[in-house]
Amino acid sequence: MKRTHIRPGIVFVVCCLAALLSVSLGSPQAGAQERAEFDAFFDKVTKAEAELFRGRPESLKALWSRSSDVTLFGVSGGSGEHGWEQVGPRLDWTNTQYSDGTLTVERIASYVDENLGYVVQREKVRFKVPGHTQESILDIRATWIFRRERDGWRIIHRHADSQMKRQGPAEGKK
């Protein structure tokens, strides 16, 4: 019987491709304990966000990563903030925009694995602009992204915008 010798370089390439394929297929969602931990953290985020719409951003700020790669594209528009040096002050600015707010959320989707998670939701906010008596309402589409860091889960990104009337074909029509 003739023996075939496989060169180490070929073995290395095959192993790398197998590893890349397994990563590209995605990792499975976290187990029950990890999911419960993530959900408990997100409950804190929701309560802290409600505080923000009451004009108190401190509890939400405490849940953000202090990393240079955090990003915030807030519902009030603008080009967005990148890095904690920009995100922190933007969160502080919200106390000039919101007071006496209430928040209702409808979670659409969420995912969590060992170190990353996201939540996509609709939010309805009723609030007053500080110094005004008239109530305002915001309907928001929001995406949150989270990362597990040394001290636990942290917010690393939020993108929110006001829901707009659908452009293009009407719902249910092709």
Side-chain angles (χ1 to χ4, degrees), residues 35-98:
R35 183 65 193 202
E37 185 181 307
F38 178 80
D39 286 343
F41 174 75
F42 192 69
D43 285 345
K44 287 182 187 178
V45 170
T46 301
K47 289 175 183 165
E49 183 186 15
E51 285 297 305
L52 177 126
F53 289 117
R54 290 183 186 105
R56 299 186 290 264
E58 298 80 16
S59 57
L60 189 62
K61 283 178 63 176
L63 300 176
W64 276 80
S65 172
R66 296 306 191 259
S67 178
S68 63
D69 65 349
V70 298
T71 49
L72 172 63
F73 297 111
V75 70
S76 298
S79 61
E81 281 64 47
H82 182 217
W84 180 247
E85 295 74 27
Q86 292 181 7
V87 170
R90 179 64 175 224
L91 292 170
D92 286 333
W93 170 82
T94 62
N95 72 3
T96 68
Q97 305 300 303
Y98 306 109

Side-chain angles (χ1 to χ4, degrees), residues 34-168:
E34 291 86 4
R35 183 65 193 202
E37 185 181 307
F38 178 80
D39 286 343
F41 174 75
F42 192 69
D43 285 345
K44 287 182 187 178
V45 170
T46 301
K47 289 175 183 165
E49 183 186 15
E51 285 297 305
L52 177 126
F53 289 117
R54 290 183 186 105
R56 299 186 290 264
E58 298 80 16
S59 57
L60 189 62
K61 283 178 63 176
L63 300 176
W64 276 80
S65 172
R66 296 306 191 259
S67 178
S68 63
D69 65 349
V70 298
T71 49
L72 172 63
F73 297 111
V75 70
S76 298
S79 61
E81 281 64 47
H82 182 217
W84 180 247
E85 295 74 27
Q86 292 181 7
V87 170
R90 179 64 175 224
L91 292 170
D92 286 333
W93 170 82
T94 62
N95 72 3
T96 68
Q97 305 300 303
Y98 306 109
S99 68
D100 302 321
T102 61
L103 171 68
T104 306
V105 298
E106 173 194 357
R107 189 181 292 194
I108 298 168
S110 66
Y111 175 88
V112 62
D113 68 16
E114 293 179 11
N115 296 310
L116 284 173
Y118 72 81
V119 172
V120 177
Q121 64 186 18
R122 289 186 190 97
E123 303 171 350
K124 183 179 224 55
V125 183
R126 296 177 177 276
F127 67 98
K128 294 179 183 171
V129 175
H132 294 83
T133 58
Q134 182 178 348
E135 183 179 74
S136 295
I137 298 174
L138 275 175
D139 287 315
I140 301 170
R141 300 180 298 191
T143 302
W144 297 88
I145 302 176
F146 309 94
R147 173 174 57 212
R148 186 190 307 267
E149 297 186 348
R150 278 181 252 130
D151 59 346
W153 285 102
R154 294 285 171 230
I155 303 165
I156 60 170
H157 174 74
R158 174 173 162 91
H159 184 177
D161 63 37
S162 296
Q163 291 182 346
M164 299 178 69
K165 197 172 225 180
R166 182 181 175 103
Q167 302 295 313

